[in-house]
Amino acid sequence: MSTDVFEDRILYPLEHTSKRYYALLVIFLLGTVLFLIAWAYQLNAGVWAVTGIGDWGISGGVPWGLYIGGFVWWVGLAHGGIAISAAVRVIDIDRFAPIARVSEVLTVLALSMAAFNIVLSMGRPDRIFNTILWWPATVHHSPLAWDIAVITLYLVLSLTYLCLSLRAEIAAFRDRLPTVFSPLYSVLTIGYSRSEDEKIEQILWWLAVAILALVPLLSGGVVPWLFSLIAAQPAWYGSAAGAAMLTESLTSALAGVIIITAIFRFAYDWGDVIEDRIFRDLATVLAFLALATIWFTMHDILTGVYTAPTNIGALTGAMLELPFFWLAVAGLVVSVVALFLMIGWPDRFFSIPALVAISAILSVTILNKKVMFIVEGLMFPTAPPLTNLYPSGSYSPTLLEWWLFIGTIVLVGLGFLVATKVIPMVELDPEEVN
């Protein structure tokens, strides 16, 4: 494919709008309106009226549920998404370049939804500002204070990375981009000159290195440490907790990138831009990540049922009786078997729709595990003072709670629809552009 034809293909979504795009936009806008109605109800009635759970200082039992489980899930998606893009730049894997921009946009949107899930769990947006205002005083004991710090750090890094990578492309194709977004393009290209391209590329490379270093530190370190340090909750601590959470994060992130990339490829007929071999390579990586997730799950079960401390044994026993746990196990096993069949016999078993279906199963499975991780630990406090303060509780998400969480997925879909009309969704080579 010549450079001109390639650029025309990538810029097509910015220059043309199909009826199918408008239909999708209406659907996602309607979903957003329903989400806002549900959120307004929660703001008016309170978190307890919607979820049936209180907060740490009032009711105890199970004060965190789907919202915090969703927060961990979104954070994992974000960390894995930007790690994929950073790896493409640092290791110079050109064949994965077409999925880098999708991963970067996914990271920004996922981090935003992670923050929004904290807002949903805290009940009122102004409590976020209180947490920021009192951060120096609460950081010693508040997991949410650290959550906000981690999200802010990664959002700044991710937005900087995305904006810098766009400067040369926007400057070169300014006359072909939608004029309605001209003020935004003017801000993104302030002071731009072609002489900066080499320096920007060096800055992006070092940013990518920093991001790759921070992914295991945050997704496999700070986030699991926040739970581990509340050591009165069984299943929230353990020597393998960080590695397990990092593996699950990368699994759900790669699954998300596969789903969104496949949608773009189908919507804009980009079969020659995002080739089959990219999906085959992604399927191989996803297979081993899912296999590692099964290994960590087996580790939890074996250490939880064999001469485990009393409450850890009780938690593991209760978890083994949950249908949701066996749904997670089934999702992992079916996915791993299907993925290795695709790897071993691609001509017979590999197809992009099948890979998307497996990726969707893995995404839901990881979300299921995250919510069980949060809730099950809270149901069995093991040591004072939490056992004295909080009685054992139970939890099941309400329909309105589910809709609010699903609404965050709708917002990400709407975000991608908007991004498609603002920036090229496949990165163009600045040297070829100029």
Side-chain angles (χ1 to χ4, degrees):
M1 188 189 309
S2 69
T3 300
D4 290 342
V5 172
F6 179 78
E7 292 167 357
D8 289 342
R9 299 291 305 282
I10 302 306
L11 294 173
Y12 182 86
L14 295 159
E15 298 176 314
H16 304 83
T17 304
S18 66
K19 292 180 180 177
R20 190 165 51 185
Y21 176 89
Y22 283 122
L24 276 175
L25 186 62
V26 169
I27 291 171
F28 277 91
L29 284 174
L30 285 174
T32 302
V33 170
L34 292 175
F35 165 78
L36 292 175
I37 292 172
W39 187 32
Y41 175 80
Q42 175 172 297
L43 289 173
N44 184 56
V47 176
W48 186 89
V50 173
T51 65
I53 58 179
D55 58 44
W56 285 90
I58 298 177
S59 59
V62 183
W64 286 346
L66 179 60
Y67 296 150
I68 297 300
F71 156 75
V72 179
W73 185 69
W74 280 120
V75 166
L77 270 174
H79 287 174
I82 197 65
I84 292 168
S85 175
V88 169
R89 190 173 298 277
V90 173
I91 307 176
D92 200 18
I93 314 174
D94 289 340
R95 67 177 181 278
F96 287 135
I99 68 171
R101 181 64 49 74
V102 168
S103 303
E104 294 160 14
V105 175
L106 173 64
T107 295
V108 173
L109 295 174
L111 282 172
S112 303
M113 291 307 104
F116 202 87
N117 270 263
I118 293 179
V119 174
L120 290 175
S121 183
M122 296 181 77
R124 299 202 318 260
D126 59 293
R127 289 177 175 168
I128 289 288
F129 295 105
N130 287 336
T131 303
I132 295 172
L133 185 65
W134 293 100
W135 194 86
T138 59
V139 68
H140 305 293
H141 58 83
S142 171
L144 290 181
W146 274 100
D147 290 338
I148 291 172
V150 168
I151 289 175
T152 302
L153 170 64
Y154 231 77
L155 190 57
V156 169
L157 277 176
S158 302
L159 276 174
T160 303
Y161 187 88
L162 178 61
C163 292
L164 286 177
S165 70
L166 283 167
R167 282 172 64 85
E169 295 170 57
I170 291 176
F173 291 102
R174 183 71 177 268
D175 58 337
R176 297 180 63 178
L177 300 178
T179 55
V180 68
F181 298 116
S182 291
L184 174 63
Y185 299 141
S186 297
V187 172
L188 289 173
T189 55
I190 288 177
Y192 173 79
S193 69
R194 291 178 56 179
S195 60
E196 74 175 40
D197 288 350
E198 184 177 352
K199 288 293 181 185
I200 290 295
E201 190 60 29
Q202 291 174 356
I203 293 172
L204 286 171
W205 192 89
W206 282 108
L207 264 178
V209 171
I211 288 168
L212 285 177
L214 282 173
V215 165
L217 179 63
L218 298 182
S219 195
V222 174
V223 175
W225 291 342
L226 290 176
F227 292 99
S228 298
L229 297 180
I230 311 174
Q233 314 299 331
W236 281 11
Y237 55 89
S239 58
M245 190 169 284
L246 177 62
T247 303
E248 291 176 357
S249 297
L250 293 175
T251 302
S252 57
L254 189 56
V257 169
I258 288 172
I259 293 170
I260 296 168
T261 304
I263 290 172
F264 272 102
R265 172 182 149 124
F266 172 76
Y268 295 107
D269 194 22
W270 281 351
D272 51 344
V273 176
I274 309 173
E275 300 174 346
D276 285 3
R277 61 175 183 160
I278 293 177
F279 288 95
R280 288 198 179 98
D281 291 341
L282 293 177
T284 302
V285 178
L286 188 62
F288 284 99
L289 286 172
L291 188 61
T293 303
I294 289 179
W295 189 89
F296 283 117
T297 303
M298 291 176 59
H299 173 86
D300 289 340
I301 298 303
L302 288 174
T303 56
V305 298
Y306 183 72
T307 62
T310 303
N311 277 14
I312 291 181
L315 181 147
T316 307
M319 191 169 64
L320 291 175
E321 295 177 359
L322 280 177
F324 285 109
F325 171 76
W326 293 108
L327 277 175
V329 171
L332 287 170
V333 172
V334 168
S335 299
V336 167
V337 171
L339 287 169
F340 276 100
L341 285 174
M342 289 182 183
I343 297 169
W345 296 272
D347 293 338
R348 185 173 180 182
F349 293 104
F350 178 82
S351 73
I352 292 177
L355 179 59
V356 168
I358 293 300
S359 298
I361 291 172
L362 279 172
S363 293
V364 174
T365 297
I366 298 299
L367 172 63
N368 183 12
K369 283 177 64 55
K370 297 296 188 190
V371 176
M372 283 194 294
F373 167 78
I374 297 294
V375 175
E376 288 294 302
L378 290 168
M379 289 176 66
F380 295 89
T382 58
L386 293 182
T387 47
N388 301 331
L389 291 172
Y390 305 135
S392 297
S394 60
Y395 170 76
S396 180
T398 64
L399 286 177
L400 199 57
E401 201 176 347
W402 271 114
W403 175 243
L404 281 168
F405 173 74
I406 293 172
T408 61
I409 299 176
V410 171
L411 289 177
V412 169
L414 182 62
F416 266 104
L417 283 173
V418 174
T420 304
K421 290 298 175 187
V422 179
I423 59 175
M425 292 306 294
V426 173
E427 189 172 346
L428 298 168
D429 188 339
E431 293 183 4
E432 292 181 358
V433 171
N434 292 323

